Amino acid sequence: GRAQELAPLACIPTTAGTGSEVSFAAVIKDREARVKYQIADFALIPRLAILDPAATATLPPQIAAATGMDAMTHAIEGYVSREWNPHADACALHALRLIDANLERAVHQSDDETARGNMLIAASLAIAPTTSGALGLAHSLSHACGACYDVPHGIANAINLPASIEYNAAGGEDIAARYRDIGELLGLQAGGEIGQALAEHIRERVRSLGLPTRLSQVGVPESGIALLVQGAMGDACTLVNPRAPTAEDLAELYRRAL
């Protein structure tokens, strides 16, 4: 029969990263099973979302940086996703413009209300058009890191996104062209090596935000790669990634991120 109605849901995000206030998805972490899994239902979409920079005024700089990198990951993965569409393109690219212009200010100048407000808007834009499409390989890699070794999600994305870009961009000119659009928006002069150029740009951004750049810095051991691969292979986010990675591909990506 018809599902029972849920109570009206309103959300006020206190970080600018996930865009969960406009999403139909939720992530559950099972510590005993060492797995993160997603649930999704249209009934979970909030009826009201309030993006108030006052709600992020006391956000510690590292959390502001990590959640901001989560928003960037949504925007980039959404733009190259198998589920892309013109509406999502517009939202993803404008989210990236806002992130590029405001993330460092929001992290390093906590009294900059405009920057914090723009980051809230960017996080919502990055995921709103597709929700499930604003995901990909970096998220699959990162979910396993969080499930197995308690790596905060935004930090895991900041570490895994560059290698994911390099891997995807090598999958064909049609994929590389999508990354080239992003590079142009960010002012990169990449030529034909867009994957490497964009990945290095993001790594430098992560350093400037004061975040870790290697999984070994956040407690992930080389001996854990097999466990991480097992988790990433079963992650639904890979379904919308522009390339379908093998277990060997995932293991190599983790080794490079260590």
Side-chain angles (χ1 to χ4, degrees):
R2 184 170 181 268
Q4 293 184 357
E5 295 289 339
L6 296 179
L9 176 63
C11 289
I12 305 174
T14 56
T15 66
T18 66
S20 59
E21 72 278 358
V22 292
S23 169
F24 76 157
V27 178
I28 307 298
K29 181 174 181 176
D30 186 331
R31 292 185 179 275
E32 291 187 4
R34 302 178 80 176
V35 66
K36 276 187 173 183
Y37 59 92
Q38 300 88 47
I39 60 173
D41 194 305
F42 290 107
L44 294 179
I45 299 177
R47 297 189 186 183
L48 173 68
I50 299 174
L51 306 181
D52 185 352
T56 63
T58 59
L59 199 60
Q62 186 178 53
I63 297 179
T67 54
M69 287 305 303
D70 188 20
M72 176 178 280
T73 304
H74 283 155
I76 291 176
E77 293 204 307
Y79 191 73
V80 302
S81 166
R82 292 176 184 268
E83 292 192 357
W84 75 273
N85 62 69
H87 181 203
D89 282 359
C91 290
L93 291 177
H94 191 55
L96 284 170
R97 291 187 188 97
L98 289 172
I99 294 167
D100 188 49
N102 293 279
L103 176 53
E104 295 203 25
R105 287 165 48 205
V107 170
H108 298 305
Q109 302 172 38
S110 60
D111 61 343
D112 192 329
E113 187 173 274
T114 298
R116 287 188 286 104
N118 283 335
M119 283 303 301
L120 284 167
I121 294 169
S124 287
L125 283 173
I127 202 169
T130 59
T131 60
S132 63
L135 302 165
L137 180 56
H139 270 79
S140 296
L141 295 168
S142 296
H143 284 155
C145 292
C148 297
Y149 294 104
D150 291 321
V151 182
H153 182 62
I155 291 176
N157 274 339
I159 295 170
N160 289 314
L161 179 60
S164 299
I165 290 171
E166 291 171 330
Y167 171 81
N168 284 334
E173 177 52 34
D174 55 336
I175 302 172
R178 303 289 286 177
Y179 284 118
R180 200 166 287 117
D181 291 343
I182 294 170
E184 290 176 1
L185 182 149
L186 297 175
L188 303 185
Q189 303 297 321
E193 298 294 331
I194 182 58
Q196 182 178 356
L198 181 56
E200 286 303 319
H201 175 84
I202 292 171
R203 289 187 181 105
E204 183 54 39
R205 174 64 62 88
V206 173
R207 292 186 194 99
S208 73
L209 293 171
L211 294 176
T213 58
R214 315 296 302 177
L215 290 177
S216 57
Q217 296 174 305
V218 289
V220 178
E222 187 173 3
S223 61
I225 288 178
L227 180 63
L228 292 171
V229 168
Q230 183 180 358
M233 282 295 292
D235 196 286
C237 294
T238 310
L239 296 175
V240 295
N241 193 66
R243 290 185 73 183
T246 65
E248 291 75 17
D249 293 333
L250 294 174
E252 177 59 24
L253 287 166
Y254 279 127
R255 279 191 288 269
R256 290 171 59 188
L258 282 172

